[in-house]
Amino acid sequence: MATDMRAAVLRGPEPITIEQVNLDQPDAGEVLVRVVACGVCHSDLHTINRAKGGPLPVPVILGHEVGGIVEEVGPGVVSVKPGDHVVVAFRPNCGLCYYCIRGMHQLCERPDNTARSATGERPRLRMGEQPVQQGIGVAGYAEYTVMPERGVVKVREDAPLETICLVGCGVTTGVGAAINTAKVQAGSDVAVIGLGGVGLNVVQGAKLAGARKIIAVDISDSKLETAATFGATDFVNASQEDPVARVQEIAGGYLDYAFEAIGLGATVRQAFDMVRAGGMAVVVGVVAQEVTIPGIAFLREKQLVGSFFGSAQLQYDIPRLVDLYMDGKLLIDELVSKRRPLGEINEAFADMEAGAVARSVMDPSK
Ligand code: CND
Ligand code: ZN
């Protein structure tokens, strides 16, 4: 039996509309989750903007920061049961490929290891006869989603799902970039360029790691103010001063780590230029452009590294990040600028484009 539900569907360059969509019941190794809340991440906005620029596989349901409750499980599922609270991990892993067996689960080559796939021949979602893509592997702007078992992580039931949904991407991506990818050392100096839902989490990840200076860089004063709440110690408005020179000055000429959390070639270059010899520039933003780097800087042993999904081991990291939040060591409530019913999804993306929010959270039950 399939589930009929409301979902926010992107069909092309025009605004997203709310539609009746059909979701298959969970097959072997799959889990049906009732979506309690879904955060609005810039990666979804990238997809919308790509749809404006040319053909994209549509229709698609976006949304990948989900907190929910297990409704039903398919044959063979062992790690969760109906009623369990879960955070959805948009990039599950197979556990068996080259990367998984070497502990790099975030790079898994077969993230959707069931008989169906989010984008392939046997889609889980349909509008009438028309297949619908499961955007970024989740399709969270809907009342329900079906995920492979390894794409759901059981979490403690006293943690509010409408807030910890953000651990499904922004928190894990940002905190993990600092702690897992860069392994920020206590006492070191860190700059974070771009202070959205992802960058603010890099800031608090650097704080957890014991950084000395955490230099926040953005073009919006309100984002710089928010960064102070998350542990930033110094602030640079890149629309008013040269961020590279100013950050280097604040760090006394020896900036250890810079994180790019926007997705622009120009700011990747800034991150690379501002770190000291032997320092590390970490690219967290999704950069669709070419990046130009002065090759001679590699003689100074500068490192330029990518970070995907916080280099996280999801079944391990997600429950621990939730514990840190429940213990008051990670801020998540402060990330939620606005809660909206599903029908206001276009307004939520407009807010993000205007830089007006850290994160919006959608409630598909409304
Ligand atoms: P969001 O739009 O919330 O934040 C971007 C921030 O950058 C805003 O505060 C802007 O004001 C600021 N900004 C824009 N231009 C500049 C500039 N020139 N200089 C300084 N600041 C500027 O985005 P988000 O936090 O949701 O996402 C950030 C990026 O991270 C985005 O590219 C997203 O796709 C990516 C991402 C990556 C991963 C991963 O696994 N690597 C996971 N999720 C999201
Ligand atoms: Zn995301």
Side-chain angles (χ1 to χ4, degrees):
M1 224 185 52
T3 307
D4 280 318
M5 62 171 186
R6 284 166 66 245
V9 181
L10 177 74
R11 293 158 176 272
E14 58 280 356
I16 291 171
T17 50
I18 303 298
E19 308 286 347
Q20 278 300 124
V21 172
N22 213 248
L23 176 66
D24 281 352
Q25 70 185 120
D27 207 338
E30 294 180 338
V31 178
L32 174 68
V33 177
R34 178 165 64 80
V35 178
V36 171
C38 184
V40 178
C41 173
H42 204 117
S43 298
D44 291 323
L45 184 56
H46 286 316
T47 308
I48 293 170
N49 287 333
R50 275 205 305 280
K52 285 178 187 157
L56 188 89
V58 285
V60 58
I61 300 171
L62 300 172
H64 60 275
E65 261 182 353
V66 170
I69 299 175
V70 175
E71 190 87 4
E72 202 182 315
V73 299
V77 169
V78 293
S79 62
V80 290
K81 58 180 188 316
D84 281 350
H85 288 205
V86 293
V87 165
V88 166
F90 69 86
R91 181 83 182 186
N93 56 76
C94 73
L96 292 170
C97 74
Y98 176 89
Y99 294 103
C100 283
I101 59 175
R102 304 202 61 206
M104 295 176 274
H105 293 95
Q106 75 278 15
L107 304 178
C108 174
E109 292 177 315
R110 286 190 296 275
D112 202 339
N113 62 333
T114 65
R116 294 186 288 200
S117 81
T119 53
E121 287 141 31
R122 280 194 63 204
R124 300 176 174 91
L125 292 154
R126 235 162 270 103
M127 272 196 306
E129 292 299 299
Q130 191 180 19
V132 178
Q133 307 262 325
Q134 202 172 353
I136 316 193
V138 181
Y141 300 141
E143 291 179 277
Y144 296 90
T145 179
V146 167
M147 292 297 297
E149 180 176 7
R150 284 166 178 261
V152 297
V153 182
K154 188 169 150 73
V155 291
R156 54 196 274 185
E157 285 180 20
D158 56 343
L161 287 166
E162 56 276 9
T163 304
I164 61 161
C165 61
L166 300 187
V167 181
C169 179
V171 175
T172 303
T173 297
V175 174
I179 289 180
N180 299 326
T181 313
K183 299 187 173 63
V184 167
Q185 286 198 8
S188 60
D189 290 344
V190 173
V192 183
I193 312 174
L195 304 166
V198 173
L200 290 169
N201 280 298
V202 180
V203 168
Q204 61 177 343
K207 183 183 175 192
L208 267 179
R212 184 180 70 138
K213 286 184 185 292
I214 304 173
I215 308 163
V217 183
D218 204 290
I219 49 176
S220 143
D221 282 331
S222 73
K223 291 294 175 68
L224 293 169
E225 273 168 38
T226 311
T229 314
F230 284 78
T233 59
D234 296 82
F235 307 91
V236 177
N237 187 323
S239 64
Q240 287 162 18
E241 47 192 339
D242 171 12
V244 175
R246 182 69 188 119
V247 165
Q248 286 179 330
E249 187 188 354
I250 294 168
Y254 301 103
L255 181 75
D256 301 293
Y257 307 90
F259 293 84
E260 199 277 357
I262 305 162
L264 298 172
T267 40
V268 171
R269 174 68 190 266
Q270 288 170 6
F272 187 77
D273 285 350
M274 65 178 60
V275 295
R276 63 168 168 78
M280 184 187 286
V282 182
V283 181
V284 188
V286 175
V287 187
Q289 305 151 340
E290 299 262 317
V291 178
T292 310
I293 297 293
I296 201 72
F298 293 112
L299 286 181
R300 305 291 292 149
E301 298 197 351
K302 283 197 179 193
Q303 301 174 61
L304 179 63
V305 304
S307 178
F308 179 62
F309 210 170
S311 309
Q313 309 302 314
L314 301 167
Q315 304 286 344
Y316 174 88
D317 284 83
I318 286 178
R320 274 164 183 76
L321 291 167
V322 171
D323 282 345
L324 287 170
Y325 160 69
M326 295 300 282
D327 291 347
K329 293 174 184 160
L330 264 189
L331 305 181
I332 307 185
D333 298 289
E334 291 76 358
L335 284 170
V336 182
S337 315
K338 223 171 217 173
R339 296 187 181 280
R340 288 182 180 275
L342 195 58
E344 292 178 9
I345 186 73
N346 295 303
E347 288 81 355
F349 282 115
D351 278 350
M352 170 168 271
E353 237 165 349
V357 286
R359 269 290 190 262
S360 300
V361 172
M362 309 309 293
D363 178 351
S365 74
K366 290 187 186 146

